[in-house]
Amino acid sequence: MNGPEIHVTFPPDLHLFLTAGRTPAGRRVVTDGAATLGHVIESLGVPLTEVGRLLVDGREVPVSHIPRAEERVEVRAVERPQQVPGAPLRFLLDVHLGTLARRLRLLGVDAAYTNEDPGDAALAALSARERRVLLSRDRGLLRRREIWAGAYVYSDRPEDQLDDVLRRFAPALAPWSRCTACNGDLTDADKDSVQERLEGGTQRTYDVFAQCTSCGRVYWRGAHHARLEAIVNKALRETAR
């Protein structure tokens, strides 16, 4: 590019996205004189899903702003908790985030997910059609224009991923109300109505059950309940702060 030079700074939270060897924070950037500020930022490696306010010489501008020579651009990270206007807060997760999807569902958060990869185009289209926040560690996927809203998942550890999503979006929690397998709603079920789905040991040992209204899966407080309850209690403590 051979056009106006601008000075761009990024907050530390966004440094991991900057293209290696090209643009450390505070570097002068040569633009082509026609590209929008949003395009310039993305060309440096930063998904716009992670960008909050944009200040040019101290005044706020939209991503459609065309940079002019010698402008000083301050890129800020998304403010937390992030507000997603225009739709109920619900999520769509890519194929690599299955554990995170199940933990969000455990907390009663609407989290669409399939373990078969439908492809980037289909995910972006579903995000737009159902107005879901697309969660992904794929920066290219988050740059697709058709997505409704998106967020980069910063960690590869499910515990940290869950903490980050809860801090970023502060969704309302309703633990034990959603099927972790299919995302459907759970309802109380009496033992007689579900006994055909239970093994003999479960029938003899447990009396309290819930069933998914979508897929029919039956839930009870089995051997893994203590581990799941620890996840729920930690999330409730963190969101109560």
Side-chain angles (χ1 to χ4, degrees):
M1 287 189 291
N2 185 19
E5 287 190 1
I6 60 175
H7 187 273
V8 185
T9 59
F10 293 90
D13 290 351
L14 300 183
H15 286 185
L16 79 159
F17 297 110
L18 297 177
T19 307
R22 287 188 54 195
T23 313
R27 176 67 63 88
R28 295 183 68 84
V29 178
V30 179
T31 72
D32 64 4
T36 65
L37 183 54
H39 179 80
V40 172
I41 291 170
E42 284 192 323
S43 73
L44 299 175
V46 181
L48 291 182
T49 59
E50 307 312 295
V51 171
R53 298 174 65 202
L54 297 173
L55 302 179
V56 172
D57 296 332
R59 74 184 190 283
E60 188 167 358
V61 300
V63 293
S64 58
H65 173 77
I66 306 296
R68 294 187 291 271
E70 301 303 322
E71 287 185 336
R72 301 186 69 85
V73 178
E74 179 187 355
V75 179
R76 295 187 178 178
V78 170
E79 294 183 2
R80 299 188 175 207
Q82 182 178 350
Q83 302 299 312
V84 183
L89 181 59
R90 50 189 183 174
F91 298 95
L92 170 64
L93 291 81
D94 74 18
V95 70
H96 304 292
L97 298 176
T99 300
L100 175 59
R102 289 187 291 273
R103 293 189 179 194
L104 287 170
R105 293 169 178 176
L106 177 66
L107 297 172
V109 177
D110 189 336
Y113 167 83
T114 175
N115 56 12
E116 294 183 2
D117 188 358
D120 288 3
L123 282 171
L126 181 59
S127 168
R129 185 168 64 252
E130 298 189 358
R131 295 189 171 187
R132 291 180 178 272
V133 179
L134 178 59
L135 303 179
S136 179
R137 286 178 52 78
D138 183 341
R139 304 177 194 184
L141 173 56
L142 293 175
R143 291 179 63 177
R144 297 187 73 99
R145 290 289 182 264
E146 61 268 38
I147 67 174
W148 163 251
Y152 183 76
V153 176
Y154 286 78
S155 175
D156 57 4
R157 299 179 66 250
E159 297 83 359
D160 296 335
Q161 291 173 349
L162 181 62
D163 289 345
D164 185 42
V165 171
L166 296 182
R167 286 196 304 269
R168 177 163 177 171
F169 293 99
L173 304 185
W176 318 108
S177 66
R178 193 172 289 276
C179 178
T180 56
C182 80
N183 200 42
D185 294 324
L186 297 184
T187 186
D188 293 339
D190 63 75
K191 194 170 186 176
D192 290 340
S193 68
V194 298
Q195 63 180 351
E196 293 183 356
R197 293 175 175 265
L198 307 176
E199 296 182 356
T202 302
Q203 291 186 33
R204 293 189 298 271
T205 306
Y206 301 98
D207 295 306
V208 179
F209 299 91
Q211 187 171 23
C212 178
T213 58
S214 296
C215 72
R217 181 167 178 168
V218 179
Y219 291 84
W220 60 92
R221 296 188 175 188
H224 300 296
H225 183 75
R227 179 177 62 84
L228 300 178
E229 191 170 40
I231 295 172
V232 168
N233 290 340
K234 181 177 183 293
L236 291 175
R237 288 195 303 270
E238 293 294 328
T239 54
R241 291 182 178 179

